[in-house]
Amino acid sequence: MRERSPKVLRGPVPRNKEDDQVVYIDGDSAPRILFSGEDLLLEDLPIGTRVIYPKPPIEGLANPGAAIRYALNHPHDSEPLYAQLAPGMRVTIAVDDISLPLPPMTTPDIRQTIIEIVLELLDANGVDDVHIVIANSLHRRLSEAEMKRMVGSKIHDAFYPDRYYNHDAEDPDGIVHLGKTDHGESVNINRRAVESDLVIYVNINLVPMDGGHKSVAVGLCDYESLRPHHEPETIRASDSYMDPKRSMLNTKVERQGALVDRHMNVFHIETALNNRIYAGATAFLSKNEDEFTEIDRLKFEAMRWTLSKMPRGAKRKLFQSIPAQYQMIACHAGKTEPVHEKILQRCWDQYAVHVRGQADVLICPVPFVSPYNVNSILNPILVQVMGLGYFHNFYRGKPILKKGGVLILTHPCYDEFDHNHHPSYIEFFNRLLPETRDAMKLRHKYEEEFAKNPSYIEMYRRGNAYHGAHPFFMWYWGENGRQHVGKVIVAGAENAHVPKILGWERSESLTEAIAMAKSFVGPSPEITMMHHPPIVMADME
């Protein structure tokens, strides 16, 4: 590979002309903070490393309740919600599960605020046949405590359990076949929603792949409907999940969603949040380290020292007990596509950072939480999802990492699983991956065995387990990353066993990982670090 001289920069740290979020490390820059599971690392990066920081939070709407009411009364391509209501109607409110936002937001959750306003409107118009269904698809059922926190005590006590419950994708009497798309994709949807006069979908759009047709067509579907777009070929053909126009996954979901809209009357309420994860004592974690005050440095050292003295389970519980300080920055309502278009633009306003030029080496710290381990453990399959599934796809235009480059993740990669939430993951990791990591072989040889396993179905329906097929979808989720990346190195892995099964290399430290990467791509690589959380996405030129 052609050698290049590193970018050695002197004086003030330079930034992009368009943004203040891209900096290059010079000889006087402070070390950078990296997340590694439940730990915080302080690492020196090579001179010339490009660091991409998240944008500052967009200011939240001053009066969220007023913004919600305005959206309901001024919807896109639809009559106002009150004009669609009449006594005797059957109405179903479907709502996103707590796989987002991450971490869970402070209460009242924006879903609670929206549902309270909607219920007031339904009551004022004589609508009393109302169910609230959590659109968890093949995700795990929420516990009662999680359900109560999401909508508040008043709604929970009035509706739970008979009229506020989790969607059940395996209920033989609870799913209706709406038909097939012109490409043969089945569309099977929750019976209560299909048989309602009106479905009101309450959405949180944390990233651009959320919302739109995905809300009903995926959130309220079954295994047969999910398979056509959660499979290896579709994932490989998705040039970033975050860029819907270039995502085959999104294309297939839109075909299914169009069929949903032909059969069902759906009124969408979509919201966008800012990225204000930290506030108060942890607010310093949102800063560029070069801008830390002495107080910020003391806070960081105190936090790092405290975490170093705590057992892993206690650290995890501590982090999971700190809610995010998200604020709503947009709310739109009405028909699927015009609503989603408005919300997508607001998402990109918050997350997109202009970046010029791809990297030979990409460093991605992996935090403690993903959409699939809320109140649980980030097991090895989910570490893979974060690295090759999400972080690799946090771009629009083209990947941050050059084809065949090196992805460095920082995570201990502990061999630990939640037996209640992820039982099928345990068998997938220990039985199947040692045999093959080939996504196509896994799909054709084993996926249906797991999906139809009576024990896994029972744990999904009666317990709080992810569907038996879910670890397969999570493995496929990293498929376009695996096809693109030349090598994955996990820095700080506490064992050799997990990285080996995942097909990765390991290093004791980030410094060692960078040296290993140089031996693969050349002695003077272009190195980029994505400084998250919060979420940051690259608008690549």
Side-chain angles (χ1 to χ4, degrees):
M1 177 169 286
R2 179 173 59 89
E3 295 186 15
R4 293 178 300 276
S5 298
K7 296 181 179 178
V8 181
L9 303 165
R10 305 298 181 191
V13 178
R15 302 175 184 268
N16 271 17
K17 292 179 181 178
E18 298 89 348
D19 287 286
D20 289 333
Q21 308 315 121
V22 181
V23 304
Y24 290 95
I25 292 179
D26 65 12
D28 299 320
S29 292
R32 260 52 185 179
I33 296 171
L34 289 82
F35 283 77
S36 181
E38 294 86 14
D39 291 306
L40 295 175
L41 307 177
L42 193 64
E43 297 281 354
D44 286 307
L45 299 178
I47 292 173
T49 298
R50 178 175 60 180
V51 182
I52 305 175
Y53 285 87
K55 285 183 175 178
I58 294 172
E59 189 64 31
L61 298 176
N63 190 333
I68 293 164
R69 289 185 172 89
Y70 183 88
L72 301 184
N73 292 330
H74 300 84
H76 300 280
D77 294 355
S78 170
E79 289 186 302
L81 183 56
Y82 69 81
Q84 300 186 45
L85 303 178
M89 287 181 69
R90 171 181 281 201
V91 173
T92 295
I93 301 171
V95 59
D96 284 340
D97 69 8
I98 60 169
S99 59
L100 45 86
L102 299 171
M105 66 191 303
T106 54
T107 56
D109 189 297
I110 195 63
R111 285 165 287 213
Q112 174 183 337
T113 304
I114 294 172
I115 294 173
E116 285 176 346
I117 292 170
V118 168
L119 289 174
E120 289 174 6
L121 203 56
L122 295 176
D123 183 63
N125 286 273
V127 180
D128 53 16
D129 185 353
V130 181
H131 284 206
I132 304 171
V133 181
I134 299 170
N136 52 286
S137 190
L138 271 62
H139 293 180
R140 68 172 178 86
R141 287 159 39 93
L142 274 61
S143 69
E144 182 181 354
E146 291 168 332
M147 293 172 68
K148 187 172 185 176
R149 184 186 190 279
M150 187 169 75
V151 300
S153 298
K154 184 177 179 181
I155 295 174
H156 174 270
D157 295 345
F159 285 82
Y160 181 86
D162 297 330
R163 295 189 298 147
Y164 175 36
Y165 48 85
N166 294 274
H167 165 68
D168 184 351
E170 288 290 345
D171 181 358
D173 300 318
I175 301 292
V176 174
H177 178 66
L178 294 184
K180 293 186 177 183
T181 69
D182 54 6
H183 287 70
E185 298 130 348
S186 290
V187 180
N188 306 322
I189 302 295
N190 178 281
R191 179 178 294 279
R192 166 72 198 194
V194 172
E195 295 179 352
S196 293
D197 299 298
L198 176 65
V199 174
I200 301 170
Y201 198 100
V202 178
N203 151 272
I204 291 178
N205 229 78
L206 187 66
V207 292
M209 65 170 289
D210 298 331
H213 286 293
K214 183 172 179 281
S215 293
V216 174
V218 174
L220 295 175
C221 77
D222 67 353
Y223 169 67
E224 183 184 359
S225 293
L226 204 65
R227 289 198 79 200
H229 44 77
H230 277 55
E231 48 90 31
E233 296 99 326
T234 299
I235 298 303
R236 290 176 185 176
S238 297
D239 192 3
S240 176
Y241 316 136
M242 304 304 159
D243 192 351
K245 294 179 180 178
R246 300 179 65 180
S247 167
M248 180 55 66
L249 187 154
N250 183 72
T251 297
K252 290 187 173 184
V253 169
E254 284 189 343
R255 290 200 291 255
Q256 292 179 318
L259 185 60
V260 167
D261 283 352
R262 288 200 294 270
H263 286 82
M264 299 167 59
N265 180 20
V266 184
F267 186 88
H268 288 264
I269 306 170
E270 291 203 8
T271 64
L273 303 178
N274 63 13
N275 64 352
R276 190 170 176 260
I277 290 181
Y278 305 112
T282 61
F284 71 94
L285 290 174
S286 295
K287 292 184 179 181
N288 180 332
E289 292 86 345
D290 296 317
E291 298 167 356
F292 272 16
T293 65
E294 287 302 316
I295 296 297
D296 293 332
R297 296 180 189 281
L298 288 172
K299 287 180 179 178
F300 171 74
E301 290 300 336
M303 179 179 291
R304 190 165 63 141
W305 183 87
T306 301
L307 291 172
S308 71
K309 303 300 180 184
M310 298 175 67
R312 179 175 297 145
K315 288 188 285 188
R316 186 178 302 136
K317 187 173 182 180
L318 173 65
F319 274 116
Q320 290 172 348
S321 69
I322 303 173
Q325 307 293 315
Y326 294 117
Q327 298 169 315
M328 189 175 76
I329 57 174
C331 180
H332 292 275
K335 292 297 183 183
T336 313
E337 292 175 7
V339 168
H340 193 49
E341 183 179 352
K342 295 284 187 182
I343 291 294
L344 279 181
Q345 182 55 56
R346 205 59 174 143
C347 280
W348 282 108
D349 289 344
Q350 178 64 86
Y351 296 127
V353 173
H354 295 293
V355 178
R356 294 188 296 274
Q358 292 177 290
D360 300 304
V361 178
L362 177 63
I363 301 171
C364 290
V366 181
F368 71 98
V369 68
S370 84
Y372 316 107
N373 78 307
V374 177
N375 298 322
S376 185
I377 299 164
L378 194 75
N379 65 54
I381 303 298
L382 297 181
V383 175
Q384 175 265 166
V385 169
M386 293 298 286
L388 294 170
Y390 283 102
F391 295 152
H392 169 70
N393 282 279
F394 276 175
Y395 70 89
R396 183 167 60 176
K398 57 184 177 182
I400 304 170
L401 187 66
K402 293 177 182 177
K403 176 74 172 177
V406 176
L407 175 65
I408 297 176
L409 306 176
T410 59
H411 196 273
C413 278
Y414 29 76
D415 189 358
E416 190 175 353
F417 292 81
D418 187 317
H419 289 250
N420 293 320
H421 289 182
H422 303 116
S424 60
Y425 281 64
I426 300 170
E427 183 179 3
F428 181 91
F429 182 75
N430 290 288
R431 173 189 160 208
L432 303 192
L433 286 186
E435 176 186 328
T436 181
R437 291 188 291 270
D438 186 293
M440 297 302 297
K441 289 182 180 178
L442 289 166
R443 175 175 170 82
H444 294 300
K445 188 173 181 180
Y446 293 116
E447 183 188 303
E448 287 202 23
E449 173 196 330
F450 276 59
K452 297 178 179 179
N453 182 307
S455 296
Y456 291 147
I457 290 174
E458 185 68 11
M459 285 186 277
Y460 163 80
R461 296 194 67 195
R462 311 299 178 197
N464 298 103
Y466 281 83
H467 193 275
H470 204 260
F472 291 83
F473 298 151
M474 294 297 93
W475 188 253
Y476 308 156
W477 209 244
E479 187 63 15
N480 60 4
R482 268 188 295 276
Q483 299 299 313
H484 184 87
V485 174
K487 184 189 292 290
V488 178
I489 303 171
V490 58
E494 66 180 21
N495 62 75
H497 172 66
V498 168
K500 182 179 180 181
I501 287 182
L502 295 175
W504 300 349
E505 295 187 17
R506 71 180 287 264
S507 68
E508 293 291 337
S509 66
L510 182 61
T511 300
E512 181 184 348
I514 292 171
M516 292 166 63
K518 288 180 178 180
S519 70
F520 185 75
V521 299
S524 301
E526 300 284 354
I527 302 175
T528 294
M529 172 186 164
M530 300 293 285
H531 200 287
H532 45 60
I535 293 171
V536 55
M537 298 187 189
D539 239 345
M540 288 292 296
E541 297 180 14

